[in-house]
């Protein structure tokens, strides 16, 4: 199987794929390498966006970058500086709202709704609701530690549901093999 690293560019990948085909690698291995390279490109893009957002320092850029990092499944440690900056901005906004400035309350209400949907989806343990809630949460760029922990819980819950579905599927191959043996 091929190993693809984050730093591989598309031209290098294409050359490697051609060489892999010529060497007789199975299409499944080549597809796996292409998917891995696409994930690596997403992670690279997310890291770049995080860097630009941290330089800019504004809430919208940071939220977009965190959302991109969530979609790319970056490690929490890589996202942490942006999350901390967003928390700081959130506390500043809360202090302004307490002083009578209502700027940003529509965005905050939207995030609150996303968090509520995540909680409901986790409680329901329904594949479709979880998938949608996770997608919406990733797009919202959740930054609060509690919100991010809730998103992580939703992802784990979804993985459990998928794993259970996989184990509950009827296994036809062994049955077909048993029938073939019984017929002889």
């Amino acid at each position: 199987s091929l190993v693809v690293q984050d730093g591989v560019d598309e031209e290098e990948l294409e050359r490697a794929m051609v060489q892999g085909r010529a060497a007789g690698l199975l299409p499944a291995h080549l597809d796996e390498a292409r998917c891995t390279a696409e994930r690596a490109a997403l992670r690279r893009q997310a890291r770049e966006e995080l860097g630009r957002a941290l330089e800019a320092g504004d809430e919208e850029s940071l939220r977009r970058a965190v959302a991109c990092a969530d979609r790319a499944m970056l490690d929490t440690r890589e996202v942490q500086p942006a999350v901390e900056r967003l928390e700081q901005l959130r506390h500043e906004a809360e202090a302004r709202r307490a002083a009578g400035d209502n700027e940003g309350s529509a965005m905050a209400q939207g995030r609150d709704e996303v968090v509520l949907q995540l909680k409901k989806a986790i409680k329901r343990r329904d594949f479709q609701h979880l998938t949608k809630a996770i997608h919406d949460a990733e797009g919202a760029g959740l930054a609060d530690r509690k919100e991010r922990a809730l998103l992580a819980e939703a992802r784990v819950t979804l993985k459990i549901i998928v794993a259970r579905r996989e184990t509950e599927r009827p296994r036809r191959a062994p049955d077909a093999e048993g029938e073939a043996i019984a017929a002889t």
Side-chain angles (χ1 to χ4, degrees):
S1 146
L2 293 174
V3 176
V4 180
Q5 300 172 348
D6 280 358
V8 174
D9 68 22
E10 290 179 37
E11 288 178 17
E12 278 183 83
L13 173 64
E14 197 54 44
R15 282 193 300 274
M17 299 286 280
V18 168
Q19 291 172 348
R21 276 191 289 278
L25 285 178
L26 296 173
H29 289 141
L30 296 171
D31 289 344
E32 181 183 334
R34 181 171 300 287
C35 288
T36 302
E38 288 170 1
R39 285 191 303 272
L42 275 175
R43 288 191 300 271
R44 187 174 52 251
Q45 177 187 4
R47 287 182 186 109
E48 290 170 2
E49 192 166 334
L50 278 170
R52 286 190 301 271
L54 283 166
E55 280 183 31
D58 67 286
E59 183 177 3
E60 186 59 31
S61 297
L62 288 163
R63 286 201 181 279
R64 276 195 317 269
V66 168
C68 183
D70 283 341
R71 285 188 300 275
M73 301 293 285
L74 284 186
D75 187 273
T76 303
R77 292 173 295 212
E78 293 184 77
V79 183
Q80 195 59 36
V83 169
E84 288 173 357
R85 179 64 181 131
L86 276 168
E87 285 180 349
Q88 180 184 9
L89 290 171
R90 182 177 180 170
H91 291 299
E92 291 170 5
E94 287 172 358
R96 282 194 308 273
R97 274 195 294 278
D101 180 6
N102 290 327
E103 177 187 334
S105 27
M107 277 182 28
Q109 287 176 344
R111 282 191 303 278
D112 290 346
E113 180 61 29
V114 166
V115 168
L116 180 63
Q117 292 308 316
L118 264 179
K119 288 178 181 178
K120 286 180 179 178
I122 291 168
K123 190 173 184 177
R124 284 183 182 161
R125 296 191 183 281
D126 176 73
F127 177 82
Q128 289 178 330
H129 285 98
L130 272 166
T131 303
K132 182 179 181 334
I134 290 169
H135 174 73
D136 292 348
E138 288 172 346
L142 301 180
D144 181 88
R145 283 186 174 101
K146 289 179 183 177
E147 294 171 346
R148 295 189 62 72
L150 189 64
L151 177 57
E153 180 183 351
R155 286 178 175 151
V156 168
T157 303
L158 183 62
K159 285 182 181 181
I160 290 169
I161 290 170
V162 169
R164 284 184 181 157
R165 281 185 174 183
E166 292 294 319
T167 59
E168 291 172 359
R169 283 190 183 158
R171 296 183 181 169
R172 295 182 185 192
D175 293 342
E177 185 178 300
E179 290 171 14
I181 292 171
T184 56

